[in-house]
Amino acid sequence: MSNFSKWLGAGLGFTLGGPIGAAIGFAIGSFVDGFTLDEFKQEQIDYNRDRKPKGNFRRANTQSGDFEMSLLVLASIVIKSDGKIDKRELDFVRSQFLKMYGKQRANNAFKLFKGIVKKQISARQVCIQIREHMSHSARLQLLHFLFGIAKADEFVTEKEVEEIRKIAGYLYINQSDYESIKAMFYNESDNAYKILEITKNATNDEVKSAYRKMVKKYHPDKVQDLGEEHIKGAKEKFQSIQTAYENIKSERGM
């Protein structure tokens, strides 16, 4: 078995199956050199055989590569939502994977991405699969990355925003969380309040309470099971919350 197949199979759990697994299989079978679709299918067989039943059903837990594959598939949907594939967005995806995973793993992932982006994929079906197995904190992190990808070409289109909004809904991310993360990528006067999920009419005590709530919700430790590479991304989101709070305190003289 090729090194690529060993890397792929070792890091995946629930994403070996369902619509995400189908997208990966499509990329392998059609666009990726160096390993075969038969090898990937064998990984699926081996994984399903080794899964342990829990009660009357069997449930796969998120493994380190599952976040990676989920991000690739959702990123491909967002990138195509405005009817074109912008090189800057592709470069952003590559740069994010290089930063998170290092050169070899990022190159492997991007090989898959170039195949996945050519396939029509149902965002709803993919999100159903993700939300059944991935924690709410990890799903928030996925949304944060998707806005970063959309903003990579320095202009977020309405179609991209609408696609991310639909994905958030499919992932059971509520409107307040969606607006909070969205605000992290825009420079508007009330963004600091949106990030903390409050309005400008909030009292100082309400600002402090909102900050404590957001710290608890978005603390990087919430995604520590996904590995150090994803904790780095979570720290960026966490920093946006701290910056928003500091800006409000400075504005109010708190």
Side-chain angles (χ1 to χ4, degrees):
M1 184 180 291
S2 70
N3 289 332
F4 196 112
S5 291
K6 290 178 181 177
W7 160 76
L8 189 67
L12 299 188
F14 75 84
T15 51
L16 277 169
I20 297 177
I24 296 171
F26 174 83
I28 291 171
S30 304
F31 298 97
V32 184
D33 297 325
F35 64 109
T36 69
L37 183 57
D38 286 342
E39 289 176 324
F40 177 66
K41 289 180 177 178
Q42 186 60 51
E43 292 289 353
Q44 291 177 312
I45 292 170
D46 292 343
Y47 174 74
N48 287 324
R49 183 189 61 217
D50 293 339
R51 286 167 62 185
K52 303 295 185 182
K54 294 183 178 180
N56 295 323
F57 64 93
R58 290 163 32 157
R59 178 183 177 93
N61 294 319
T62 302
Q63 296 187 27
S64 62
D66 291 323
F67 185 95
E68 187 175 353
M69 293 302 109
S70 299
L71 177 59
L72 282 182
V73 173
L74 291 178
S76 75
I77 293 171
V78 172
I79 281 178
K80 292 184 294 184
S81 63
D82 59 358
K84 65 181 188 303
I85 300 175
D86 192 287
K87 183 178 183 298
R88 286 169 294 186
E89 292 173 325
L90 294 177
D91 288 343
F92 179 84
V93 174
R94 181 187 285 276
S95 69
Q96 287 298 299
F97 273 72
L98 281 170
K99 184 166 66 173
M100 287 191 294
Y101 305 126
K103 184 176 181 180
Q104 185 59 54
R105 184 172 169 183
N107 286 343
N108 287 340
F110 206 71
K111 284 181 183 179
L112 280 180
F113 183 75
K114 288 190 293 185
I116 290 170
V117 79
K118 298 179 184 295
K119 180 176 172 58
Q120 289 301 116
I121 301 168
S122 167
R124 179 176 178 274
Q125 292 301 317
V126 166
C127 290
I128 288 173
Q129 182 181 8
I130 291 170
R131 76 176 188 236
E132 286 178 346
H133 303 290
M134 193 178 289
S135 71
H136 183 254
S137 296
R139 282 179 272 142
L140 290 173
Q141 188 63 25
L142 279 175
L143 197 69
H144 187 266
F145 276 118
L146 293 180
F147 268 114
I149 290 167
K151 194 72 181 292
D153 60 359
E154 300 177 0
F155 181 74
V156 182
T157 69
E158 287 300 318
K159 288 183 178 180
E160 288 174 328
V161 170
E162 177 60 18
E163 192 65 53
I164 296 174
R165 187 194 64 77
K166 287 194 296 184
I167 287 171
Y170 294 148
L171 292 174
Y172 288 179
I173 293 172
N174 65 38
Q175 186 68 19
S176 295
D177 287 335
Y178 167 80
E179 293 293 346
S180 173
I181 293 175
K182 178 183 175 183
M184 295 177 188
F185 294 89
Y186 290 85
N187 295 316
E188 297 177 356
S189 59
D190 61 344
N191 269 6
Y193 292 91
K194 287 183 178 178
I195 289 172
L196 295 187
E197 299 183 6
I198 53 176
T199 68
K200 284 189 173 183
N201 295 326
T203 65
N204 288 350
D205 285 342
E206 288 171 337
V207 169
K208 294 174 184 178
S209 177
Y211 172 67
R212 289 192 294 269
K213 177 182 175 182
M214 298 300 283
V215 165
K216 185 177 180 180
K217 180 189 298 185
Y218 287 106
H219 197 282
D221 285 350
K222 291 278 189 177
V223 295
Q224 61 181 348
D225 58 321
L226 296 179
E228 180 59 35
E229 61 271 18
H230 298 124
I231 293 177
K232 292 177 182 177
K235 287 178 179 177
E236 293 179 5
K237 184 161 80 295
F238 190 68
Q239 183 60 50
S240 295
I241 292 164
Q242 292 180 307
T243 299
Y245 181 55
E246 292 301 323
N247 288 341
I248 293 174
K249 286 202 302 180
S250 176
E251 173 189 313
R252 295 186 171 205
M254 292 171 59

